[in-house]
Amino acid sequence: MDASAVAKQFVDFYYQTFDSNRQNLLPLYRPTSYLSFEGTQHAGANDIVEKLVSLPFQSVAHRVSTNDAQPTPSGEIVINVTGQLLIDGESNPQFFTQTFVLKNDGTNFYVQNDIFRLVYA
Amino acid sequence: MDASAVAKQFVDFYYQTFDSNRQNLLPLYRPTSYLSFEGTQHAGANDIVEKLVSLPFQSVAHRVSTNDAQPTPSGEIVINVTGQLLIDGESNPQFFTQTFVLKNDGTNFYVQNDIFRLVYA
């Protein structure tokens, strides 16, 4: 398994989906998944996607600056992304970092762990 | 296991050690560990610490802004840190993000995965 290739494909798909229709992220999480979003904790696909859908903006665009991935001994993939967020058409980006742990259910990778933080510079 | 408590204790100890004597980070890694440092790949405790010791600054201080942690189903702990770096006494901080996966060897937690990136804002 090439962790970097999986990470590239996953991250592209994740943000395309996030930026077009956040509700469609639901199949990427499972009942065992965790999200930490700016310090708040959410568990399970339904709670996680409810949180993401409730974020108070109409439109968002993620621009990925870096995407680093490594395998773990248990066959998971850990990813750290840095990038910029453009919210509601504003021209001043916000900077963010996001950590994912992807796990394979036998057929597909899903998001086991997800930690999101804005970076205030 | 309280992932946040382990993460707090680990991150404090890791940066205290990094900022005082990087060579002393060696016991925190194992032969199976990985480091991605600004996009370069290093594997195994010796190569990883050699890289960290070779970084071209005399003094460094890490200031942690956020430290988020979650457990994984395989009993690991995934951590995302954001913070500031002050290098060689400069007053303008650089911003960074670092992702760790900690694994327990039965007695202690060690660093299985480590991804470091500066964030350019």
Side-chain angles (χ1 to χ4, degrees):
Chain A
M1 180 187 66
D2 180 339
S4 294
V6 173
K8 172 77 171 61
Q9 190 173 21
F10 167 78
V11 166
D12 285 353
F13 179 73
Y14 184 91
Y15 293 128
Q16 277 170 23
T17 307
F18 197 112
D19 295 352
S20 56
N21 185 341
R22 282 169 263 168
Q23 188 65 50
N24 292 344
L25 295 170
L26 191 61
L28 298 182
Y29 295 92
R30 294 288 183 281
T32 58
S33 303
Y34 292 113
L35 168 68
S36 300
F37 188 89
E38 288 286 280
T40 68
Q41 311 303 321
H42 306 273
N46 289 328
D47 283 356
I48 289 170
V49 174
E50 193 175 318
K51 169 64 181 178
L52 298 177
V53 168
S54 77
L55 294 172
F57 45 73
Q58 294 301 310
S59 74
V60 60
H62 290 77
R63 288 185 191 158
V64 173
S65 303
T66 64
N67 176 348
D68 296 305
Q70 294 174 2
T72 76
S74 356
E76 294 148 1
I77 295 177
V78 57
I79 303 175
N80 179 263
V81 176
T82 69
Q84 303 181 7
L85 277 178
L86 286 165
I87 289 182
D88 289 334
E90 293 206 4
S91 56
N92 287 334
Q94 299 187 57
F95 296 86
F96 75 94
T97 180
Q98 194 158 9
T99 295
F100 297 103
V101 176
L102 304 187
K103 205 168 158 66
N104 199 306
D105 65 8
T107 310
N108 295 302
F109 282 96
Y110 65 91
V111 180
Q112 175 55 46
N113 299 88
D114 182 349
I115 303 175
F116 176 91
R117 279 283 179 182
L118 293 172
V119 178
Y120 296 99
Chain B
M1 180 188 65
D2 179 339
S4 293
V6 173
K8 173 77 170 62
Q9 188 172 24
F10 166 78
V11 166
D12 285 352
F13 180 73
Y14 184 90
Y15 292 128
Q16 276 170 23
T17 306
F18 196 113
D19 295 352
S20 56
N21 185 341
R22 283 169 263 168
Q23 188 65 50
N24 291 344
L25 295 169
L26 191 61
L28 297 182
Y29 295 92
R30 293 290 183 279
T32 58
S33 303
Y34 292 113
L35 168 68
S36 300
F37 187 90
E38 287 286 280
T40 68
Q41 311 303 321
H42 306 272
N46 289 328
D47 282 357
I48 289 170
V49 175
E50 191 174 322
K51 170 65 180 177
L52 297 177
V53 168
S54 78
L55 294 172
F57 45 72
Q58 294 301 310
S59 74
V60 59
H62 290 77
R63 289 185 191 157
V64 173
S65 302
T66 64
N67 177 349
D68 296 306
Q70 294 175 1
T72 76
S74 355
E76 295 148 1
I77 296 177
V78 56
I79 303 174
N80 180 263
V81 176
T82 69
Q84 303 181 6
L85 276 179
L86 286 166
I87 288 181
D88 289 335
E90 293 206 3
S91 56
N92 287 334
Q94 299 187 57
F95 296 86
F96 75 93
T97 179
Q98 193 157 8
T99 294
F100 296 101
V101 176
L102 304 187
K103 204 169 158 65
N104 199 307
D105 65 9
T107 310
N108 296 301
F109 282 97
Y110 64 90
V111 180
Q112 174 56 45
N113 299 88
D114 181 350
I115 302 176
F116 176 92
R117 279 283 180 182
L118 293 172
V119 178
Y120 296 100

